[in-house]
């Protein structure tokens, strides 16, 4: 599809960051955004790249009331050869469509999703920072824009947009393990709900529990299943992995867990790195027993924002359990180094995961 370009004159462009490494995650935005609207008669039409701008929406817009929406999270990286690289972007295009289908939003063709990202990145390439560890975060979003309070039903109109945010080092204080609080009252996602879709409502409900964890001195919540509060599911907005008895273990995708691209990549590369990977239920009681007995030797979160985040402490009920002396473990570091090495185009990409944006 032809994407119309309505670009700012050069004197209206924002000044670039001074030190990209210090940019906080998701606080700064580039000069332009991608924009495409849907209506029942015409489908998805008139894709454009426009100046980054406020949205003008009626207070009755369905999105604000019933949260019919979906989003994605990706990064564009600069390779040492100055190429623009994406990591498995087709996986994001597919997941966006799965989330949209769950939310009754009409799909966007995968090729159009990818074309929109590539053309926006080409316009905004000066914003892709060069230092290792920095990136340009990509946030595609789709929202219901019909103004109607009267019915909870699929909207007749939608807006799909993509905004870009340059991001610095995720671990500003170094690759230090985080401490998790196990939440035993609130739940993130219930069976039959929307847990496996990347949709706003899943996150609004987690803020209260995260505040409780923060007040107790923990940085994130370790979520358990909603029914029994017995099985480990996710950590904050990341998937979770453990090294238990020399095996890499993560919970299976049973509908309440977000199917992360990072998670999938860790599982697919584990065998090549020399560790057996297993998807199975992990009970919190067995987990803390395993930490105490020394069977559980490592834990880490996996997601696009931080890629791999080491976990050093788990607070559960009245006890605190320390993993690997609160130090980053061998496999945690291996997965971090290998994945980021592939993402930045430094290591050989034998899986064909890296997508070069053609300039
Ligand atoms: C986005 C997200 C993840 C990680 O997915 P990636 O594709 O690896 O970035 C994990 N859990 C939740 C709840 C998420 O929203």
């Amino acid at each position: 599809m032809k994407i119309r370009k309505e670009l700012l004159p050069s004197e209206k462009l924002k000044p670039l960051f001074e030190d990209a490494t210090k940019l906080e995650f998701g606080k700064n935005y580039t000069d332009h955004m991608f924009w495409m609207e849907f209506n029942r008669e015409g489908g998805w039409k008139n894709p454009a790249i426009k100046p980054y701008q406020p949205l003008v929406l009626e207070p009755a817009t369905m999105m604000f009331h019933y949260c019919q929406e979906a989003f994605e999270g990706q990064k564009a990286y600069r390779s040492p050869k100055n190429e623009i690289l994406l990591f498995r972007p087709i996986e994001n295009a597919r997941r966006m469509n799965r989330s949209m289908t769950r939310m009754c939003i009409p799909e966007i063709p995968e090729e159009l999703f990818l074309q929109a990202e590539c053309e926006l990145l080409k316009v905004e390439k000066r914003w892709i920072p060069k230092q290792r560890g920095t990136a340009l975060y990509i946030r595609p979003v789709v929202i219901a824009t019909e103004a109607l309070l009267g019915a909870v039903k699929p909207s007749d109109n939608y807006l799909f947009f993509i905004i870009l945010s340059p991001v610095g080092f995720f671990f500003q204080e170094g690759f230090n393990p985080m401490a998790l609080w196990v939440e035993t009252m609130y739940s993130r996602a219930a069976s039959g709900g929307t847990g496996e879709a990347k949709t706003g409502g899943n996150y609004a409900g987690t803020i209260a529990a995260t505040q409780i964890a923060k007040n107790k001195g923990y940085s994130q919540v370790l979520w358990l299943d909603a029914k029994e509060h017995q099985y480990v599911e996710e950590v904050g907005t990341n998937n979770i992995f453990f090294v238990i008895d020399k095996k890499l273990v993560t919970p299976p995708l049973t509908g309440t867990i977000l199917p992360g691209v990072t998670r999938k990549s860790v599982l697919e590369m584990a065998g090549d790195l020399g560790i057996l990977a297993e998807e199975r239920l992990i009970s919190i009681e067995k987990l803390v027993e395993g930490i105490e007995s020394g069977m559980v030797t490592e834990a880490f979160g996996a997601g696009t924002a931080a890629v791999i985040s080491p976990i050093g402490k788990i607070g559960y009920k009245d006890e605190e359990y320390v993993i690997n002396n609160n130090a980053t473990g061998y496999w945690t570091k291996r997965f971090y180094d290998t994945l980021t090495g592939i993402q930045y185009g430094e290591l050989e990409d034998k899986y064909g995961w890296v997508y070069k944006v053609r300039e």
Side-chain angles (χ1 to χ4, degrees):
M1 220 189 270
K2 175 103 183 80
I3 299 178
R4 189 167 51 83
K5 292 200 178 79
E6 187 189 306
L7 304 184
L8 287 168
S10 58
E11 67 275 12
K12 289 261 175 76
L13 298 178
K14 293 180 220 175
L16 276 187
F17 36 77
E18 280 185 8
D19 179 355
T21 64
K22 298 224 165 64
L23 290 168
E24 275 184 69
F25 198 92
K27 277 217 170 156
N28 304 279
Y29 303 95
T30 68
D31 298 292
H32 299 93
M33 64 193 290
F34 177 83
W35 184 297
M36 179 168 67
E37 291 175 37
F38 175 97
N39 65 39
R40 292 279 165 213
E41 302 78 60
W44 288 109
K45 62 173 187 347
N46 297 336
I49 291 173
K50 300 187 188 188
Y52 180 93
Q53 60 192 271
L55 305 180
V56 178
L57 296 165
E58 284 193 45
T61 300
M62 291 172 83
M63 158 68 207
F64 297 135
H65 304 272
Y66 311 126
C67 207
Q68 193 195 5
E69 75 100 59
F71 68 94
E72 268 302 324
Q74 297 166 252
K75 278 177 176 171
Y77 304 90
R78 275 274 180 211
S79 78
K81 291 188 228 148
N82 217 24
E83 300 151 314
I84 304 172
L85 306 180
L86 293 172
F87 185 69
R88 311 186 79 175
I90 282 296
E91 295 288 337
N92 297 91
R94 290 190 184 133
R95 184 172 67 192
M96 182 76 169
N97 276 328
R98 289 200 305 273
S99 300
M100 286 163 67
T101 300
R102 178 66 181 82
M103 305 313 290
C104 288
I105 302 172
E107 288 193 8
I108 292 171
E110 285 166 21
E111 317 76 68
L112 180 55
F113 179 94
L114 195 55
Q115 183 194 357
E117 289 191 339
C118 290
E119 293 204 23
L120 181 61
L121 284 169
K122 278 188 267 183
V123 168
E124 299 292 68
K125 65 183 174 194
R126 72 186 188 107
W127 287 99
I128 309 173
K130 293 190 168 65
Q131 293 94 330
R132 174 67 145 88
T134 65
L136 188 60
Y137 185 76
I138 308 169
R139 173 53 64 87
V141 186
V142 61
I143 60 172
T145 51
E146 186 182 348
L148 178 77
L149 296 183
V152 178
K153 57 117 205 168
S155 172
D156 278 343
N157 307 309
Y158 299 92
L159 170 65
F160 171 70
F161 61 86
I162 305 174
I163 54 176
L164 304 174
S165 171
V167 296
F169 294 164
F170 196 88
F171 300 102
Q172 289 285 351
E173 278 102 51
F175 197 44
N176 296 326
M178 52 178 176
L180 307 183
W181 174 252
V182 180
E183 177 54 54
T184 50
M185 183 179 74
Y186 292 118
S187 307
R188 191 192 88 89
S191 166
T194 55
E196 66 185 350
K198 226 171 163 71
T199 183
N202 289 341
Y203 304 83
T206 67
I207 296 171
T210 309
Q211 287 305 107
I212 294 170
K214 294 216 159 133
N215 289 339
K216 290 181 192 283
Y218 293 88
S219 60
Q220 281 294 347
V221 171
L222 177 58
W223 293 103
L224 303 178
D225 73 283
K227 194 169 170 211
E228 298 174 72
H229 286 116
Q230 196 46 239
Y231 299 102
V232 170
E233 296 209 325
E234 293 207 63
V235 43
T237 56
N238 280 260
N239 295 114
I240 193 160
F241 284 89
F242 299 94
V243 178
I244 306 177
D245 198 15
K246 301 192 174 66
K247 282 192 212 115
L248 184 71
V249 186
T250 194
L253 301 176
T254 48
T256 51
I257 293 178
L258 200 289
V261 179
T262 319
R263 174 189 182 278
K264 180 172 176 166
S265 307
V266 166
L267 286 174
E268 288 172 10
M269 68 200 293
D272 290 334
L273 294 191
I275 186 166
L276 208 67
E278 243 178 42
E279 292 175 79
R280 63 169 167 85
L281 295 178
I282 303 158
S283 94
I284 185 68
E285 297 293 341
K286 288 246 174 68
L287 183 77
V288 296
E289 258 175 54
I291 296 174
E292 288 204 302
S293 74
M295 282 269 273
V296 177
T297 49
E298 294 185 39
F300 61 87
T304 297
V307 189
I308 299 288
S309 343
I311 297 164
K313 288 181 195 162
I314 293 182
Y316 176 52
K317 293 183 178 165
D318 302 320
E319 298 284 333
E320 188 167 82
Y321 301 86
V322 179
I323 304 168
N324 193 37
N325 293 317
N326 198 30
T328 300
Y330 170 82
W331 288 108
T332 306
K333 181 102 178 31
R334 271 298 293 282
F335 281 108
Y336 179 82
D337 288 343
T338 314
L339 261 179
T340 56
I342 294 172
Q343 288 169 336
Y344 283 91
E346 297 162 353
L347 294 181
E348 186 208 345
D349 171 31
K350 64 173 176 178
Y351 308 101
W353 287 342
V354 170
Y355 181 94
K356 263 185 219 146
V357 177
R358 268 186 291 149
E359 291 175 68

